[in-house]
Amino acid sequence: MDPTISVSKGCFVYKNGATRANKRTPSKRKNAVATSSLLGKEVTTQPFYTAYTESWDQIHSHIVKLQTASNARTLEELMDFVTGERAADRDSSEVLPTAALLTGINQPDHLKQFETLTQRLHAQKSARVCVLQSRDCATLKASVESMVYNLMDDQSEVVSLDAEDEDDGRERDRKRLRRTQCTMKHLHAWYENNYSGGDKQRALVIILPDFECFNASVLQDFILILSAQCSRLPFVLVLGVATAMTAVHSTLPYHVSSKIKLRVFQTQAAPTGLNELLDQVLLSPKYVFHLSGKAFKFLTHIFLYYDFSIQGFIQGFKYCLMEHYFAGNAYALCTSYSKALARIKQLTHDDMETIRRLPSFRPYVEQINDCKRIIAVLTDDDYLKKKLPQLLRDCLLHFMLFRCCLEFFSELVGDLPRCPLGKLRRELYVNCLNKPISEQPEYKECWQMLSFMSKSEFLAKLSKCIARTELFLSEQIAPLELGDACSDLMRTKLHSLKQLLNDVELATMELQTPATETNSLADASALSDLTQVASRQELKAQLLLRSKQDKQQSTSEFSRAVSKILGLIESDLVLTYLRPLQQAPPLHEIYVFSDIATVRRNIIGAPRAALHTALNNPHFYMQCKCCELKEQSQLVSTLPDLSVVYKLHLECGRMINLFDWLQAFRSVLRAGDEQEENELPQDQIDPQIQARFTRAVAELQFLGYIKMSKRKTDHATRLTW
């Protein structure tokens, strides 16, 4: 007899050899979980995975430091408020200290701030913290019980491993804590027993991260209860406001708002945080991995027009990084120059073929004039490995010079009227990588605005551009591995610009006066040319040419100096280094991720298409032999009931007869099973089949494909076409 079969109903528990957890074992268990991975050793030992983990660890640590520094000021002010209000006016006042933290519209993205605040309060041992979500506070009773339980059952404090007796006592106290005991009376008694002393006194911080999602009446009564207990318990309320302060004023009437002492704290705006993240981390020359213009624009558009989630942007960038490195060991060369040189020796023949299949490798081969060298590059792996160091060095230098020129160019055109090319560095980055920027009409508009600037404005702007680029070279480029070579090239360009800038400063604004003899000769030749014109079109062309010549002769020395320095900037910086990816050096695909189709398919899902594929062909996801179909329209009895019902409903019109649907379902399930066909009459339905059909129809209705008709009770209405 099966050990789980019994005459009476019961619950059979298999302990599986589990024992009570020891106090010293959780650390070992956590370490084991932290080191585990879904990927096997055959993947984690590959060079591409090593390069991926190194790159992501560096980028992620930089992002964490940046976000910590960005939120430090707000968190410090909030910490001072919580600790400062802990012992202020507690004897007779019934005013509840309340902090309203304006977090922004993406509330889940800012839960990290409340976690950081909680960790700091616990680290300083200055407060007991309770985080209440709106989903746990549907009623006033549930809100009070959750608050008391979380405050009294707080397990986040660091406990010494040596004090085992004290730990066991606390565990026994936690086990005795029940929901029925979670009242304000028990909370007051617990606080008096544990934190009644002056040195041991701690604030009781209640955090509501999603203020707008709370029921207004429940929230009002909850605040009134907290304010009534302020003289006995040091409560501090923290509200996470995602919209604006008007939401607080509209939710809390006067009899509630008069019981709180409100102070507003403003966090950093999400677009500002994204710009800092892009400028200081993702566009930093410290990292060799880059996004193409389309991929960069795609991720920023998701942020700006969809969710305003910085964490979502980071996860999207991480996915791009993972897709880039997981393409093969050839992409393990996307690292620092010294590490790339060491990994060239580990490349196999398949890795070298991956490099040869890169789109930029063909132009590199076509520019070789020697046939023997071409054959060696295409067939000899050792010969190509000898060429790789120089090719990788050229790519790294190109992207470093690109970043330096982008710094110069963003300062040059970022504050022009109407900002034709954009005022943010990320906009210029996308414009420069997608297509030649000198061919864009916005670029010509910017150049025209620069030529029309006054002398003082032009000198100030160019001086600021040069100073900012030099600062960028000394702070960002110089510490890098190939920073000296990049700095030497850029400083040569900047030195030429400084010389021309001196000429602009010394140039005068007076118009040039041509000699009288040359004028007279030019006028005589022009008149003779005009008298010999045969048609109106030729006359128009001659007049236009003469107007241009007069304009060139009437320009001032300052205008010629400005046009000369702008021409040098265009030729030496813009056209040379701010080139699109199509004109980048060979093998630049090793450092640039541009597979935007894969990112779009995996980040922005198509739920309707995925549901149709799953229901129409379950083998696509389940990969089981019983669900394998020769044709998409084939119906097999081994398919899941929901899939059979879905495929049958696709054959119907707007109204579906439930009885006919059931008969078709029955025929599919009993196809080829003659024994079961003879057990029941033709007009009688097996109750098991009817129950399966009813459940499948209910699941299809839950998915939103059908709804029950009110006009015909035995029909269902199809909702999709």
Side-chain angles (χ1 to χ4, degrees):
M1 184 177 180
D2 196 339
T4 59
I5 298 176
S6 175
V7 178
S8 61
K9 294 182 179 180
C11 182
F12 300 90
V13 180
Y14 293 90
K15 299 185 68 174
N16 198 17
T19 58
R20 184 175 179 179
N22 193 359
K23 276 295 171 184
R24 299 183 182 274
T25 54
S27 59
K28 298 181 181 178
R29 191 185 303 115
K30 289 181 181 178
N31 294 334
V33 173
T35 56
S36 63
S37 175
L38 296 176
L39 303 175
K41 291 184 178 180
E42 65 277 2
V43 176
T44 56
T45 56
Q46 294 293 327
F48 76 87
Y49 187 81
T50 304
Y52 161 72
T53 52
E54 289 176 357
S55 298
W56 173 244
D57 291 341
Q58 292 177 2
I59 294 174
H60 185 254
S61 61
H62 196 172
I63 291 173
V64 171
K65 290 180 181 178
L66 180 64
Q67 291 181 336
T68 303
S70 300
N71 300 326
R73 182 177 179 182
T74 303
L75 290 178
E76 288 297 333
E77 293 178 354
L78 196 57
M79 285 280 297
D80 295 340
F81 174 79
V82 170
T83 56
E85 295 292 337
R86 178 177 58 187
D89 300 333
R90 292 295 182 188
D91 297 333
S92 59
S93 176
E94 294 185 357
V95 178
L96 176 65
T98 306
L101 183 62
L102 299 179
T103 56
I105 62 173
N106 192 288
Q107 185 63 41
D109 194 39
H110 295 278
L111 289 176
K112 203 72 176 178
Q113 297 182 9
F114 295 108
E115 293 178 5
T116 306
L117 175 64
T118 304
Q119 293 173 0
R120 290 194 178 187
L121 290 173
H122 287 153
Q124 296 183 5
K125 296 183 179 181
S126 57
R128 302 275 292 190
V129 183
C130 169
V131 180
L132 296 180
Q133 299 279 354
S134 59
R135 61 176 180 266
D136 301 328
C137 303
T139 61
L140 181 61
K141 180 181 178 182
S143 303
V144 175
E145 288 180 352
S146 299
M147 178 195 68
V148 176
Y149 184 83
N150 291 333
L151 289 175
M152 297 175 63
D153 195 59
D154 193 358
Q155 303 179 15
S156 57
E157 290 188 351
V158 180
V159 181
S160 175
L161 294 176
D162 298 331
E164 295 183 358
D165 298 336
E166 185 180 354
D167 295 341
D168 295 337
R170 291 187 180 182
E171 283 190 357
R172 286 192 295 269
D173 293 340
R174 289 196 191 105
K175 288 184 178 180
R176 288 197 299 267
L177 185 62
R178 301 175 182 176
R179 287 287 180 179
T180 55
Q181 298 175 339
C182 297
T183 60
M184 299 300 294
K185 181 179 179 181
H186 283 83
L187 179 62
H188 182 264
W190 167 83
Y191 190 83
E192 289 292 331
N193 293 332
N194 292 275
Y195 305 104
S196 59
D199 297 335
K200 297 170 59 178
Q201 187 177 11
R202 299 186 186 181
L204 301 179
V205 181
I206 315 299
I207 299 178
L208 310 181
D210 48 351
F211 170 79
E212 288 86 353
C213 299
F214 277 81
N215 189 342
S217 60
V218 173
L219 186 60
Q220 293 170 14
D221 295 338
F222 182 71
I223 292 176
L224 290 176
I225 291 176
L226 294 181
S227 63
Q229 297 290 330
C230 278
S231 58
R232 305 170 62 191
L233 297 172
F235 285 116
V236 177
L237 184 63
V238 179
L239 307 176
V241 183
T243 53
M245 286 304 299
T246 54
V248 179
H249 300 315
S250 60
T251 304
L252 304 180
Y254 175 75
H255 72 279
V256 178
S257 60
S258 60
K259 298 293 184 179
I260 63 175
K261 184 173 65 174
L262 187 62
R263 182 176 174 183
V264 182
F265 298 89
Q266 179 71 52
T267 60
Q268 188 183 48
T272 305
L274 178 69
N275 292 332
E276 288 187 358
L277 175 67
L278 296 178
D279 293 343
Q280 301 184 26
V281 181
L282 302 189
L283 294 181
S284 173
K286 179 181 178 181
Y287 307 108
V288 298
F289 174 76
H290 305 279
L291 292 175
S292 66
K294 293 183 179 179
F296 197 90
K297 187 177 182 180
F298 174 73
L299 294 179
T300 53
H301 277 198
I302 291 178
F303 173 85
L304 294 173
Y305 303 117
Y306 181 63
D307 56 2
F308 261 37
S309 174
I310 295 180
Q311 295 299 325
F313 182 89
I314 294 172
Q315 295 303 317
F317 175 80
K318 183 180 180 181
Y319 180 80
C320 295
L321 187 74
M322 180 180 62
E323 281 287 336
H324 181 75
Y325 280 101
F326 275 59
N329 285 330
Y331 293 88
L333 300 177
C334 181
T335 182
S336 62
Y337 186 62
S338 58
K339 293 182 179 179
L341 294 179
R343 287 173 181 168
I344 289 177
K345 302 177 182 179
Q346 303 176 5
L347 297 179
T348 62
H349 176 70
D350 295 336
D351 301 332
M352 302 305 295
E353 289 298 323
T354 301
I355 294 176
R356 292 187 178 101
R357 286 193 294 267
L358 295 176
S360 63
F361 188 77
R362 180 175 179 178
Y364 166 70
V365 176
E366 291 176 350
Q367 71 181 1
I368 302 176
N369 298 325
D370 190 1
C371 296
K372 294 182 179 179
R373 291 174 56 197
I374 293 176
I375 295 173
V377 167
L378 294 176
T379 58
D380 191 356
D381 293 342
D382 295 333
Y383 181 81
L384 183 56
K385 287 182 180 180
K386 294 179 181 179
K387 295 293 182 180
L388 282 179
Q390 183 61 36
L391 295 175
L392 298 179
R393 186 177 186 276
D394 294 341
C395 286
L396 291 172
L397 277 178
H398 168 75
F399 288 113
M400 292 170 67
L401 291 169
F402 178 89
R403 184 63 183 85
C404 295
C405 294
L406 184 66
E407 194 75 16
F408 181 91
F409 197 66
S410 60
E411 184 66 31
L412 184 64
V413 301
D415 57 350
L416 292 178
R418 300 192 306 274
C419 301
L421 288 172
K423 62 180 179 179
L424 299 176
R425 195 173 290 106
R426 57 178 174 84
E427 297 174 346
L428 293 172
Y429 178 83
V430 172
N431 289 330
C432 294
L433 283 185
N434 284 340
K435 55 184 179 180
I437 193 170
S438 59
E439 299 178 2
Q440 301 178 22
E442 294 83 3
Y443 172 81
K444 298 179 181 179
E445 184 180 354
C446 291
W447 240 238
Q448 190 176 13
M449 291 181 183
L450 291 172
S451 62
F452 288 163
M453 294 179 68
S454 64
K455 185 176 181 179
S456 59
E457 292 178 349
F458 186 81
L459 290 174
K461 177 174 282 294
L462 263 294
S463 301
K464 189 176 180 181
C465 293
I466 294 173
R468 183 170 179 176
T469 309
E470 289 179 343
L471 181 63
F472 183 80
L473 287 172
S474 60
E475 292 183 353
Q476 300 289 335
I477 300 296
L480 300 181
E481 194 169 359
L482 298 176
D484 295 337
C486 178
S487 300
D488 294 340
L489 289 173
M490 279 303 299
R491 286 196 169 92
T492 303
K493 305 292 184 182
L494 295 178
H495 181 69
S496 302
L497 289 178
K498 287 181 180 179
Q499 292 180 349
L500 291 181
L501 193 62
N502 293 331
D503 297 340
V504 173
E505 186 176 3
L506 298 176
T508 60
M509 303 295 294
E510 298 179 357
L511 296 178
Q512 183 182 9
T513 57
T516 56
E517 294 183 358
T518 56
N519 278 345
S520 61
L521 291 175
D523 293 341
S525 61
L527 289 175
S528 62
D529 293 339
L530 292 177
T531 56
Q532 297 177 2
V533 171
S535 63
R536 186 184 298 270
Q537 288 78 11
E538 292 181 5
L539 177 61
K540 183 178 180 181
Q542 291 289 340
L543 292 174
L544 182 61
L545 179 61
R546 184 176 178 181
S547 65
K548 290 183 178 179
Q549 293 176 354
D550 294 341
K551 185 177 180 181
Q552 291 177 359
Q553 293 177 358
S554 62
T555 55
S556 63
E557 186 180 357
F558 170 74
S559 300
R560 291 196 303 273
V562 168
S563 61
K564 187 176 181 180
I565 193 172
L566 290 178
L568 182 64
I569 293 173
E570 182 176 5
S571 61
D572 286 7
L573 298 182
V574 178
L575 298 179
T576 305
Y577 299 125
L578 292 180
R579 292 178 292 173
L581 282 179
Q582 296 80 5
Q583 302 176 10
L587 308 187
H588 66 268
E589 291 89 355
I590 294 178
Y591 300 97
V592 181
F593 176 79
S594 57
D595 190 4
I596 187 63
T598 303
V599 180
R600 182 182 289 109
R601 182 172 61 253
N602 290 280
I603 291 183
I604 299 182
R608 183 170 180 177
L611 283 173
H612 174 76
T613 303
L615 297 176
N616 194 47
N617 185 18
H619 177 73
F620 183 81
Y621 292 106
M622 300 173 65
Q623 297 296 321
C624 58
K625 295 181 179 179
C626 62
C627 298
E628 191 172 0
L629 303 176
K630 297 180 180 179
E631 297 179 359
Q632 293 290 333
S633 59
Q634 186 180 3
L635 273 170
V636 184
S637 60
T638 55
L639 290 174
D641 295 343
L642 179 60
S643 179
V644 175
V645 170
Y646 176 78
K647 293 171 75 72
L648 290 173
H649 114 284
L650 293 178
E651 303 174 358
C652 302
R654 179 175 175 80
M655 302 296 293
I656 306 175
N657 190 305
L658 292 177
F659 182 76
D660 297 340
W661 200 1
L662 174 59
Q663 291 292 342
F665 179 77
R666 174 192 181 190
S667 62
V668 171
L669 294 186
R670 293 190 169 184
D673 197 346
E674 297 179 357
Q675 183 178 359
E676 291 188 7
E677 281 285 345
N678 296 329
E679 289 180 359
L680 294 174
Q682 186 68 23
D683 57 345
Q684 187 174 355
I685 305 296
D686 187 359
Q688 184 178 3
I689 293 180
Q690 187 174 1
R692 291 169 61 182
F693 173 77
T694 304
R695 184 179 63 180
V697 170
E699 292 174 351
L700 200 65
Q701 183 180 2
F702 176 75
L703 292 175
Y705 286 96
I706 62 171
K707 72 173 182 178
M708 293 300 140
S709 176
K710 295 182 179 179
R711 293 187 301 171
K712 298 181 179 181
T713 56
D714 59 342
H715 282 68
T717 305
R718 184 177 173 184
L719 300 178
T720 58
W721 296 92

